[in-house]
Amino acid sequence: MRLRQCGVSTGLLIGVLGLSACGDSGGRPSVEGLLSTVPGSAAISCTTKLPRSAKDYTLVVNIPSDSDPTAANITPTTKISYTVMLPERCPGEVFPVIVQSHGYSGTRQKAIDADGMAAATRHFAQIDELTTLLPYKGYVVLSYDERGHGESKPANGGGYARIIDNEAEVRDAQAILDWMWDNASTGGKGAEQLPVQTEHARTGIAKDIRLGSIGLSYGGGFQLPLAALDPRLDTIVPNGTWHNLLYSLIPGDATKNGFTSLLCLLASGATDTSSTDKPAVINTPVVATACNLLGPTNANANNIRTRADLAAAGADPSNPAVNGNTGNQGQTSRAITENEVVDLFFGHGMAFFKKLEQTKQPYAAGQAPFKLRPVPALFIQGNRDSLFNLTEAYLNYSYFKAAGSPATRILSTEGGHMNPFAYQLEGSANCGGFDTPKAIYAWFDFQLKGIRSAAYDAIPEVCISVADTPAPSTLPAPAAVKLASFPVGSLSGTGAQAALLANGTAAVTPQNVETMPAFVKVTDISGDGYVIAGIPTLDSITVAAGTPASAVTPVAYVGVGIRRGGSLILVDQQLTPFVMGTHSNNRNFESTDNIRVLLPGVGEQLQSGDEVGLVFYCTHVQYQSVISSSVASGAAGAGGQTNPLPFSPPNVTSCINNYNVSFTNAALPILLPGTYPGATLSRP
């Protein structure tokens, strides 16, 4: 049984006010009227201010350290470690709270920035740094180690990582927020007397505080279910995170071996040879087993290419990657079922809540059918993100916007989860010439303090980076298009170029490797200044065995391509795999509006003479596993490669995955900024 969660406690990579599941959130004042109605928010002056400070805390929460029935050494409680950073202040001043958490395999922020000056230049690093700068902007910051990470590991009384489980990590966060209210200087009875702005007396929400959130990847993932389940959260700013982990990791029912194995490598701590805190993540058994199967300790990881392969390997107790803790990922690995994997990953994201809402189911027994409340949300995602592509952010943005949020925006960047084996370098958090960190400060100031600024008004509804796809180990010159709405499929009207191919076919042979993929043209570009920006779509795609038949299950690796002169560009280095069969929607989404195939969102500047279409690969580095040199011993997977560490790219010059593919209604979003309504080009 799921427990009611209404604001009270119920027991990475290198580099949304209305009804909720818990009823009416009611009583929330308008943002514009906030400052005049919040006690203690009027200007307070003093001769000597209390200095900025940071202090570490631990909290024992009445939530088991794991909920897996087969897990060992489970305790009835979990200790969570966190740091509270306070701004410079006069006695009696109170401030909104920003709660932050880290990426997978990361740890919390423990110190306020030394000089208050931003220095980071890469997207994810900028977001982490921004967290430590917020006390300079008049915010209390609470940063915490998720269970299984940092000082919240079982060895310290913490728990096992369950990948943002609604009944584990989300309840941990709620318990910390309860503690924050209990220890507030206004209304709380705890010993700390923190300068936290409380709102319970006005809103009627239990233990309510003025609250926003920020974080990247895993630290973006915690914000979404927290917003869905806890009415205290007033605004969210997720960066580079997921909508549906099944889509992230096994899109088209084929495994995303490349970045999955990198995640497992990070979890093992192998990328940080200076740290003795290994493994970096202590996982629950299902995740530990998945990492043993797909991670760098399994020389046969590349033979697990499909959901069916993963299910078969995970259910085989004789498999050494299943029987025992071979990957050092926490709990002892064991045989796992396909349903366990599906329940764990699908249940931990907004696709799960969307399915509840569309099927009119309650989150917990005895509750009304779930309905997402309208929480202001600023989504930021990377075009070239190899783990969570732009379409995931679009799906989150669309869901929160449909909930009636008074403010929902989406910005894309050239940052996010970069794959070093594909020689990807991470760009900044900016969207073209638009300063995203500055926008985040303005967002929080308006949503939490009611301070409206030119910087806030400048935040576009949609901003999509259209920087050129860079050559390996380079960064592109910034460029973006600002839009009034998010383009999906082929566009029409002024400034749009129709880009729709009713039917297409391709044959992929072992010779069609990364340097020679099959290309099918959808449209020609005549005239400069056009961009492709948004979500490409297909009505259907069918993958069949080629001739001769492969020794492996055929998987089509599909992306958007530009043929320019003698070169072929894989736009934003994005590919989606589709296992043999017919796909008329995105597998594993399970929502009633999943009526066509959405490819990863992309953005690119086009040139006159370009041919734009779809590309089909036999194999690609983004879908090749990382295999440790200590276990590879020359073994080659189904992709025909080995890849020793450290950071040597997989060899994908050979491939035995040949297939035939046919598709219907390939639709690409192509437009001319400055002519297409609401679209303008942005450069620094």
Side-chain angles (χ1 to χ4, degrees), residues 90-155:
C90 291
E93 276 193 288
V94 293
F95 305 89
V97 175
I98 307 294
V99 60
Q100 181 265 359
S101 194
H102 51 78
Y104 185 72
S105 81
T107 58
R108 73 190 191 267
Q109 299 297 315
K110 301 182 69 172
I112 299 171
D113 187 87
D115 61 8
M117 302 294 291
T121 59
R122 299 291 180 256
H123 181 176
F124 279 0
Q126 286 177 288
I127 299 306
D128 278 342
E129 182 186 49
L130 187 149
T131 299
T132 69
L133 290 167
L134 282 167
Y136 287 91
K137 305 292 185 178
Y139 293 94
V140 172
V141 175
L142 190 157
S143 180
Y144 70 102
D145 287 335
E146 301 279 0
R147 58 174 57 212
H149 293 73
E151 296 177 28
S152 297
K153 292 179 180 176

Side-chain angles (χ1 to χ4, degrees), residues 30-80:
S30 66
V31 173
E32 291 86 344
L34 183 64
L35 290 185
S36 63
T37 61
V38 176
S41 64
I44 295 176
S45 62
C46 58
T47 302
T48 303
K49 291 190 174 185
L50 299 171
R52 286 178 291 273
S53 61
K55 184 176 179 180
D56 298 330
Y57 297 91
T58 61
L59 180 68
V60 176
V61 299
N62 292 320
I63 306 165
S65 57
D66 202 349
S67 59
D68 191 303
T70 71
N73 304 316
I74 300 307
T75 58
T77 60
T78 302
K79 183 186 289 186
I80 303 297

